[in-house]
Amino acid sequence: MLTAKHHDGFCLWPTKTTAHSVKSSNWQDGKGDVVKAVAESCSRNSIGFGIYLSPWDRNAKNYGTDAYNDFFVDQLTELLTQYGQVDEVWFDGACGEGANGRKQEYDFMRWYKLIRELQPQAVIAIMGPDVRWVGTETGVGRFTEWSVIPTDHLDLQEIAGRSQNDLIFKPQRDLMEEDLGSREKVYSAKGLVWYPAETDVSIRPGWFYRESENNQVKTPLQLMDIYFTSVGMNSVLLLNIPPDKNGLISEFDVISLMGFNSLLDKTFTKNLAKGATISSNNGINPDLMLDNNLKTFFTTKSESDTSTIIDILLPEIRTFNVLSLQENIAVGQRVEDFCLEYRDRNNDWIQIITGTTIGHKRLLRFDEITARELRLKVLSSRLNPTISEFGIFYYQPE
């Protein structure tokens, strides 16, 4: 996700809309294009490409007038037509005063329509209808995170009030509401929408690079904690990594990111449940939870009984301290209460951990357990549960 233009209005591509861009800089004799370079690099490396175009523009003289929406549409059109496939467009609600002392009234619906026409596969995030802000910039999401929530949360005024609508340089805001999609909320809703959460956080104390913060870059262990509390809580993680004064990722950030990647690989490369024998008292195809295919899933036989017990016999006694679960979200998010147990040496079933929602991914950590027999109990589910993946892993912080 590239910041193509921030609140200062400086464009990282040679736009026709303003001279306040890279074409007026000495970089590459004014012929450079950061957006093009990043888009092409993403394409070469099979990485999705997204853009952030700040609605607030402190340089544009027409900001605060109707003409600014046309100006913004022209910039957005350039970004959506000149750089190949765009996978995500990211807006916030930043809205300050223009040179005339007026705040801008953004024409978001017009912007959405344009994106749908020019890049129909792109998701529109945060100040948009496809992905919502989780409500905090700490990297810690909700323990109970529903992707299905009342349509009230699509109201633009509400989104703007909860988005980054003022000038904020440090990720300290927290507008978290703990309950968005409970049964009580769903029952009283006028309509429902699939509106998954994104959790954003910076690798540094602030959003921008400062040399004085080189010793405050989040460590690999801190990034792992964030992974568990964002991706592991049914959210998408957007990790801010600011370029330094040379336009490069700082070596301090790179070292931390490489360490983070090493921990991820070490922890999640091997599913310790592979090779297990799985059965269920009322389930269909429980073995599909180990086939590494999110399109296949275990479910229950009876529409009237959505609870189930899934027995897992590991190939041998194994030690683990992480549970990973994934639902087949193509048919919705359903599980709302579950627990994991193991059989001890006395033949008793001992509870390891409990959870509420699963969604795309749920990761739960606990004190290490050594066992061979496990059982996953789905205690409550909205319609029949559809569990695509079950995994146990061993996480050893270094």
Side-chain angles (χ1 to χ4, degrees), residues 88-100:
E88 184 170 339
V89 181
W90 203 100
F91 297 128
D92 57 24
C95 187
E97 291 184 356
N100 57 8

Side-chain angles (χ1 to χ4, degrees), residues 278-283 286 298 300 306-312 341 349 374-379:
I278 304 185
S279 60
S280 173
N281 61 335
N282 66 336
F298 157 87
T300 51
T306 60
S307 62
T308 186
I309 298 176
I310 305 164
D311 292 291
I312 302 109
E341 300 176 343
W349 285 103
L374 310 174
R375 65 185 185 187
L376 177 68
K377 299 170 74 172
V378 176
L379 305 173

Side-chain angles (χ1 to χ4, degrees), residues 56-288:
W56 186 17
D57 191 321
R58 301 171 72 186
N59 179 74
K61 290 182 172 56
N62 60 5
Y63 187 86
T65 72
D66 292 339
Y68 178 75
N69 281 313
D70 295 330
F71 172 87
F72 191 88
V73 163
D74 289 341
Q75 291 189 337
L76 190 57
T77 299
E78 290 179 348
L79 291 171
L80 297 178
T81 57
Q82 298 177 6
Y83 301 102
Q85 179 167 312
V86 176
D87 298 289
E88 184 170 339
V89 181
W90 203 100
F91 297 128
D92 57 24
C95 187
E97 291 184 356
N100 57 8
R102 289 177 51 191
K103 287 192 173 184
Q104 182 69 38
E105 291 187 16
Y106 300 133
D107 194 351
F108 278 108
M109 299 309 295
R110 181 182 174 192
W111 303 352
Y112 300 161
K113 183 179 178 181
L114 181 70
I115 297 167
R116 297 295 192 227
E117 290 176 353
L118 299 180
Q119 296 280 352
Q121 76 293 327
V123 296
I124 308 172
I126 312 307
M127 274 299 299
D130 300 332
V131 178
R132 62 183 159 84
W133 182 44
V134 78
T136 176
E137 296 169 343
T138 62
V140 180
R142 293 177 184 82
F143 186 79
T144 299
E145 184 64 74
W146 287 102
S147 295
V148 178
I149 62 175
T151 52
D152 308 357
H153 293 280
L154 281 177
D155 180 79
L156 279 174
Q157 288 186 343
E158 177 182 325
I159 295 174
R162 296 162 58 82
S163 184
Q164 300 173 0
N165 56 2
D166 50 9
L167 189 59
I168 295 164
F169 291 103
K170 290 197 173 182
Q172 297 175 337
R173 303 182 67 209
D174 192 338
L175 298 177
M176 183 85 74
E177 288 182 39
E178 287 303 320
D179 181 9
L180 294 184
S182 67
R183 290 198 182 209
E184 181 181 359
K185 296 283 187 179
V186 168
Y187 288 153
S188 59
K190 296 180 181 179
L192 299 176
V193 63
W194 183 264
Y195 202 20
E198 177 184 280
T199 302
D200 60 336
V201 67
S202 182
I203 196 171
R204 288 168 169 263
W207 295 107
F208 303 95
Y209 172 83
R210 290 181 175 86
E211 188 174 352
S212 60
E213 295 176 349
N214 284 342
N215 62 347
Q216 299 179 58
V217 174
K218 289 181 175 61
T219 66
L221 291 182
Q222 288 175 310
L223 294 177
M224 277 295 286
D225 286 341
I226 288 170
Y227 184 82
F228 278 104
T229 59
S230 56
V231 175
M233 289 185 176
N234 187 36
S235 181
V236 174
L237 170 61
L238 188 149
L239 179 63
N240 176 68
I241 306 167
D244 63 18
K245 295 177 181 179
N246 295 314
L248 302 174
I249 303 303
S250 163
E251 63 175 318
F252 296 91
D253 299 44
V254 170
I255 290 171
S256 184
L257 289 167
M258 294 294 286
F260 172 42
N261 182 72
S262 177
L263 283 176
L264 280 174
D265 287 346
K266 183 179 178 180
T267 302
F268 294 108
T269 296
K270 182 179 181 180
N271 183 355
L272 299 176
K274 287 296 183 183
T277 301
I278 304 185
S279 60
S280 173
N281 61 335
N282 66 336
I284 303 171
N285 299 324
D287 56 302
L288 294 180

